[in-house]
Structure formats: structure tokens, C-alpha cells
Amino acid sequence: MSDPYNLARSILQKIACTLSATGSLMIASQVLQKKKNRVKLQQIILLAISFCDFVSSSAWIFTDFLMPPKGNQQSCDAQGFLLQFGNSSNMMLMVSLQVQYILVIKYGWSDRKLDKLKPYFLSLPLGFGALTATVSLVLKLFNPAYWDCWLMPYPADCTSTYEIKHGMSDLEESNCVRGDNAFIFQWAFFFAPLWAATVICFVVMYKMTKSVEEAEKKTARYSGKSNRNVQSKRRQSIQAINSEGRLTLTELESTLQDGKIELVLTKRVKLQCIMYAIEFFVVWGFKSIARLIKLFGFTVPPVLFPLAAFFLGSQGLWNALIYFRPKYSTLNEDHWWQKVWIIVRSSLFCCTKNRRSGGSTVCSIMFGSARSSFGAIKRSFRGATAGNNNNVVDNIARTDKNIGDSFGKGDEAVDVEAHENVGLE
């Protein structure tokens, strides 16, 4: 790779990883600040995703100092372990997040029933990352790659045992000093699970979107009725869907008075689903394209390296933009930078006096309850009793209580208060 592309890769990667790590810290702060978030499966998964992204981003920020010649084999192993653990766990946690969505929205799972599977939602992705990283470390697979230390043979052009056994070389034994058959482990430990996770996420989000559309049609049948119970049910449904789209009170009342559910509701839910799908695809898309090009024997265009480095390192940034987007839309500030500052201040500069907590600092609340948060994660591995299923319309009506979304809940969106009380406390 030529020097201009290498320089662009180095600069873009550090910028993206710094923003990504910052975004992950902001999400983690929001999850830990609120008691209801610290015990909710969906928020705990997002906390785990942010943790894994922070690990990966931090390892990439210092990649020039960890890779030889500036670094040594020990630092290279450390970076490889962190990247393999963080990235592989991250993509599996995204699958957990999407599966959790569809279990609640489409199949009506309650919190109690989800608690029974909570160990699997967390332990399987994190266990997969830890296991593959440990095996790779033991087999000495972590060696200098293109821009980091990862699963690579050393020297890079050495002949593997697999190639010798299949008659691809005249050598009698492998001349790889480290990382023999590393390319096989790349597929087994990363690319195959990555592409499987991508397919699963798209399928889940498609099914969830169809469920919301069907629920909207069923709910709209009651639009002409004036029965108080029916109106209450419709209001709950709108508020639940609103947790995805952040309608104002005026819009809610207008929808009820008109006696119909506007198509915009479904479109806003679909938008959130599509945003997660696009983010997951784009972040890993350039690296996957480069892998496919190399798989078919072509030369990878140099421009793909800085693009892949930038988007791989920016996942936490996109997660934060999606997470805080509904909060941003509820703010009444005149300028966009004022809205951004309110969100950043409540997340990164949370050690300020909080009037709601009687003068206590937000940090004392957040970190004082961190032990209980991780205790809840630990207790989740004991399981819980299952609850009963409800129909799809009822599922939408109580989505706000079960999962909401990764960025704030319906009641807070409808009942907007002043700047410091906008639901970011």
C-alpha cells in the first residue's frame, strides 16, 4: 500500500476511533445513570456493545505503537487479543439485540420471560469473543496484518500446512514461524460468523417491521369508534410506537381526533430498523468487500484500506447517533450545537448538581449504583420465571415498558421538560 493511502488510513482511523470511544462512553453513561436502564435487558446489551466497542477503538488508536517495529510481539499479541474479543463479541451482541427486539414486539415476550434467557443473550456473544481470542493467542495467530495485529501468518507469504496437504506447494512442511493456517481461522473465527450475523440482523429487522405494519392495520380498524377503552388502547399503541419515532403531543392528539393511525408512525419505526441495518452493513462492509476481492484472486484497491479503517473504527459513533437521535429531536433549542451540547453534557460531564436528586451529583448516583448494575447482570445468569404472551397489538402498546429503544422512552418523549430535565438525567 502506497504511503499516501497509509497516511490517510492512520489519520482517519485515529479520528474515527476517538469519536467511537467517546460515543460508547456516552451510551454507557446513559445506561448506568438510570435505574430502569440498568435492569433492562435491551439496555444491558447496549452497555455490553459499548464496552466491546470501547475496547476495540482503544486498541486501534494506539496501533502504531503496538505493532512492530515500534512495538514488540507481546504488545502485538495484546492488541490482537483485544481486537478479536471486542469485534467478535460486538457483532454477536448485535444479533442478541435484534433477536430481543423481535421476541418482544412480534412474539410478545415479557420481561420475566426474557430474564430466563438473559444469560444466553450476554454469555454467548461474550463467551464467543473470549474463546476465539484465547485460542488465537495460544496458537500464536496474532501477527502484524495490514494496519493492526490480528489473525495472520508470519511471514505473511509463508506456506501453510493446509496448502502443503492439498498439493498447493512442493514444500514438505510449513515454513510459517507463527500463525500456521491463520487464514482458515480468519474464516472460522470472524468472517463466517460476521456474515451470518449480518443475515440474521436483516431477517429479524424485516420481520419486526412487518409485525409493526400488521399491528398498525389492526389498530386502525378501531379508528372510527369512540369507546373510551378503544381510545385508551389506541393512545397506548401510539405512545409505544412513538418510542421509535418521538411524536409530539400535538401530533398524538391530532392522530386520535382524526380517528386514524397515520402511516408516518410505521415509517418512523421502519426508519429506526433500517438505520441499525445500514450501520451494521456499512461498518463491516468495506472490510468484507476487500476480503471478497482477495478471495477471488484480485488485487484489493488501495483506497479500500483507509475506508475500511475509518468505518471499522467508527461503530461507536454511529451507535451514539442512533441512540441519542430521539432525544435530540425532543429538544427545543434554536441551534443544533446547543442540542448536541445538552446531550454531551448530560453524558460526559455528568458530575454536576442534579436538582432532581436533592443536590447530589449525577456521578455519585451513577457510579454509586454501578455495583448494583453489574450485580443485576450477574443475577441474570440465574434465570427467572416465564410470563405469558400477548397479541401483536398489545405487544406494540407495551413496547415502551419492555424494550423501548436504545435511546429513551415514549413517556419522556411526549412529556418534554426543560433542558436539564429532558429525560437525560
Side-chain angles (χ1 to χ4, degrees), residues 114 171 254 297 308 400:
L114 283 173
L171 296 178
S254 174
D400 177 56

Side-chain angles (χ1 to χ4, degrees), residues 293-328:
I293 292 175
K294 188 174 182 179
L295 179 66
F296 288 104
F298 297 100
T299 301
V300 179
V303 70
L304 279 182
F305 290 101
L307 287 174
F310 174 80
F311 283 101
L312 279 175
S314 62
Q315 184 172 8
L317 171 63
W318 307 120
N319 286 339
L321 291 176
I322 297 174
Y323 187 100
F324 292 106
R325 186 187 67 88
K327 293 291 187 182
Y328 179 91

Side-chain angles (χ1 to χ4, degrees), residues 158-161 164-165 169-176 180:
C158 68
T159 302
S160 67
T161 302
I164 295 174
K165 289 183 177 180
S169 174
D170 296 331
L171 296 178
E172 295 182 357
E173 61 180 15
S174 173
N175 59 353
C176 294
D180 187 22

Side-chain angles (χ1 to χ4, degrees), residues 188-203:
F189 287 176
F190 192 78
F191 285 107
L194 170 64
W195 293 350
T198 302
V199 172
I200 292 174
C201 287
F202 272 102
V203 170

Side-chain angles (χ1 to χ4, degrees), residues 4 17 86 133 145 211:
C17 289
S211 295

Side-chain angles (χ1 to χ4, degrees), residues 121-135:
F121 281 104
L122 299 172
S123 62
L124 290 181
L126 296 175
F128 175 79
L131 178 62
T132 56
T134 302
V135 171

Side-chain angles (χ1 to χ4, degrees), residues 16-32:
C17 289
T18 301
L19 295 175
S20 181
T22 303
S24 295
L25 285 177
M26 291 176 63
I27 295 175
S29 173
Q30 288 297 296
V31 174
L32 292 175

Side-chain angles (χ1 to χ4, degrees), residues 83-239:
L83 290 177
Q84 177 60 25
F85 168 75
N87 289 328
S88 57
S89 297
N90 205 328
M91 63 188 182
M92 293 302 177
L93 284 166
M94 185 62 69
V95 174
S96 293
L97 183 65
Q98 299 302 326
V99 171
Q100 186 259 357
Y101 270 112
I102 198 170
L103 287 178
V104 173
I105 290 182
K106 183 175 177 62
Y107 298 105
W109 282 41
S110 63
D111 284 335
R112 296 176 62 188
K113 192 169 184 178
L114 283 173
D115 284 342
K116 194 172 184 178
L117 293 181
K118 190 179 293 185
Y120 304 102
F121 281 104
L122 299 172
S123 62
L124 290 181
L126 296 175
F128 175 79
L131 178 62
T132 56
T134 302
V135 171
S136 300
L137 182 64
V138 173
L139 296 180
K140 300 180 180 180
L141 299 177
F142 295 132
N143 298 292
Y146 302 106
W147 62 72
D148 54 23
C149 289
W150 193 53
L151 308 177
M152 282 289 291
Y154 181 81
D157 58 351
C158 68
T159 302
S160 67
T161 302
Y162 176 86
E163 293 172 319
I164 295 174
K165 289 183 177 180
H166 288 78
M168 302 178 186
S169 174
D170 296 331
L171 296 178
E172 295 182 357
E173 61 180 15
S174 173
N175 59 353
C176 294
V177 178
R178 291 172 55 92
D180 187 22
N181 297 323
F183 291 110
I184 297 178
F185 288 98
Q186 284 183 2
W187 283 98
F189 287 176
F190 192 78
F191 285 107
L194 170 64
W195 293 350
T198 302
V199 172
I200 292 174
C201 287
F202 272 102
V203 170
V204 167
M205 285 185 282
Y206 171 77
K207 287 184 173 292
M208 186 178 68
T209 303
K210 296 298 292 183
S211 295
V212 173
E213 291 177 346
E214 293 173 1
E216 184 188 37
K217 292 178 181 179
K218 291 181 180 180
T219 308
R221 297 173 184 174
Y222 299 99
S223 59
K225 299 181 180 182
S226 58
N227 183 273
R228 179 177 300 180
N229 293 333
V230 173
Q231 293 294 332
S232 176
K233 172 70 72 176
R234 290 174 58 241
R235 175 181 287 273
Q236 292 174 5
S237 299
I238 296 174
Q239 287 179 335

